[in-house]
Amino acid sequence: MHKIQAKGILNSGNGMNIYRGCSHGCIYCDARSDCYQMNYPFEDIEVKENAPELLETALKSKRHCCMIATGAMSDPYLHAERELRLTRRCLEIIEKYGFGVTVLTKSDMIMRDIDILENINRNAKAVVQMTLTTADDELCRVVEPNVCVTSRRAEVLCEMKKRVIPTVVWFTPLLPFINDTEDNVRKIVGTCAEAGVYGIISFGMGLTLRNGDREYFYSQLDRHFPGLKQRYISTYGNAYEIASPNAERLWRIFDEECDKYGIEKYSNRIFEYLRDFPEPEQLSFFR
């Protein structure tokens, strides 16, 4: 871990990344790709030590409240957050100035901050986004080794439901020949239904691989799934988009299951929901 003094914290879409790199160890992580030009080891987490101060300055200068997003490139609840508490401080600032927030994570550490999220949602809007990839906890321990398993993330989603905090699930990626099964799709959507999620984001029944990400992914296939790397190479070559051979059937099942439970399945509508900050007359609906 190394600390820096960042020059800014919010991007043009009001998103922020407090950390860079990751300690979760997911074997498929796109953020390892060479295109992101990280000049240090991926597990050597870069900490934007002055993130709370930068955020407060940025929010003070905004004429209107809006949704602030975190977690798109780096999980805000990495192991370092337990000690550093930068994400919590940023949430406190968002609450202080009356903004909304949407948080994307794989970690149950978000439960530590449920009190702030509840307050933000009571007075504005808070949405918790959780990534789920496999319904099998044992497989989860292999592909996402350093973060809580799927069943625990489902418990977090259910607790958010009890607190009337809306949730969204990212169902991505599906790894061909590993978790791209009908059973997995049905179980994940069923878990989302039980937790009352607003919507499920899926960009396709497969994954993407780029230089940097591909090499790490293949090394982990060799470690955990001997022989599977060669199957990937012979099937996909150096393709960027790696679609499951069962993609069409899995998409159909995904659509049917979402319709059955009344879960939003169109990503553009979900993103619109995540960006939408309630007008003053709407706020009573979120209390």
Side-chain angles (χ1 to χ4, degrees):
M1 180 176 69
H2 63 280
K3 299 177 181 180
I4 66 165
Q5 292 292 304
K7 296 180 179 179
I9 192 63
L10 289 183
N11 61 27
S12 59
N14 295 310
M16 65 177 178
N17 287 292
I18 300 165
Y19 302 102
R20 194 172 184 215
C22 193
S23 54
H24 289 341
C26 303
I27 70 172
Y28 51 75
C29 183
D30 176 73
R32 292 181 180 273
S33 300
D34 293 346
C35 63
Y36 298 115
Q37 300 179 334
M38 292 182 65
N39 56 3
Y40 51 86
F42 191 68
E43 288 77 12
D44 179 14
I45 309 302
E46 182 177 272
V47 178
K48 297 176 183 177
E49 192 174 24
N50 58 336
E53 292 78 13
L54 290 172
L55 179 63
E56 184 155 23
T57 298
L59 297 191
K60 280 181 179 179
S61 68
K62 287 188 176 293
R63 297 179 61 185
H64 303 287
C65 290
C66 62
M67 299 296 290
I68 305 298
T70 187
M73 283 298 297
S74 185
D75 198 306
Y77 289 101
L78 300 181
H79 299 84
E81 169 63 18
R82 194 173 302 280
E83 173 187 351
L84 297 176
R85 300 171 71 85
L86 294 176
T87 297
R88 183 174 179 87
R89 286 173 59 194
C90 287
L91 290 176
E92 290 171 341
I93 291 165
I94 290 168
E95 178 190 8
K96 175 181 176 182
Y97 290 97
F99 284 71
V101 70
T102 176
V103 182
L104 173 59
T105 184
K106 287 186 177 87
S107 176
D108 60 350
M109 198 191 304
I110 194 171
M111 291 296 297
R112 181 200 65 187
D113 297 335
I114 197 169
D115 58 329
I116 305 176
L117 292 167
E118 196 170 19
N119 288 339
I120 293 173
N121 194 54
R122 184 179 298 114
N123 297 306
K125 179 181 175 183
V127 184
V128 171
Q129 303 177 75
M130 188 71 72
T131 299
L132 306 180
T133 61
T134 174
D136 183 337
D137 280 354
E138 290 306 310
L139 180 58
C140 184
R141 291 186 177 96
V142 173
V143 299
E144 299 160 349
N146 303 326
V147 70
C148 64
V149 294
T150 302
S151 60
R152 175 55 181 158
R153 295 179 217 173
E155 291 174 356
V156 171
L157 291 169
C158 288
E159 186 59 34
M160 296 297 164
K161 178 183 178 182
K162 292 178 184 176
R163 305 291 187 101
V164 201
I165 297 171
T167 54
V168 164
V169 160
W170 289 64
F171 182 31
T172 182
L174 261 70
L175 310 178
F177 320 121
I178 297 176
N179 67 333
D180 59 333
T181 66
E182 176 180 336
D183 182 65
N184 190 43
V185 173
R186 292 188 188 279
K187 285 182 176 177
I188 290 292
V189 178
T191 295
C192 293
E194 184 178 351
V197 305
Y198 170 80
I200 304 175
I201 294 171
S202 178
F203 295 119
M205 298 298 161
L207 78 158
T208 58
L209 292 177
R210 295 190 264 208
N211 291 339
D213 169 25
R214 180 183 291 106
E215 289 77 6
Y216 184 79
F217 179 66
Y218 280 173
S219 73
Q220 296 306 300
L221 291 186
D222 281 341
R223 178 181 178 186
H224 299 290
F225 307 96
L228 192 54
K229 178 179 77 173
Q230 189 54 47
R231 190 174 181 185
Y232 268 77
I233 293 172
S234 61
T235 304
Y236 302 108
N238 285 324
Y240 170 61
E241 294 185 359
I242 310 297
S244 167
N246 305 315
E248 185 176 343
R249 180 168 60 87
L250 296 177
W251 263 122
R252 185 171 64 253
I253 292 168
F254 175 76
D255 285 348
E256 292 170 352
E257 292 296 293
C258 286
D259 289 344
K260 180 170 73 174
Y261 293 114
I263 299 173
E264 179 59 69
K265 63 186 179 182
Y266 293 108
S267 296
N268 61 326
R269 294 178 184 173
I270 298 172
F271 287 128
E272 183 179 348
Y273 171 75
L274 294 173
R275 290 190 297 266
D276 181 52
F277 183 82
E279 296 298 326
E281 63 267 20
Q282 291 179 289
L283 289 178
S284 61
F285 176 79
F286 293 94
R287 293 192 176 106

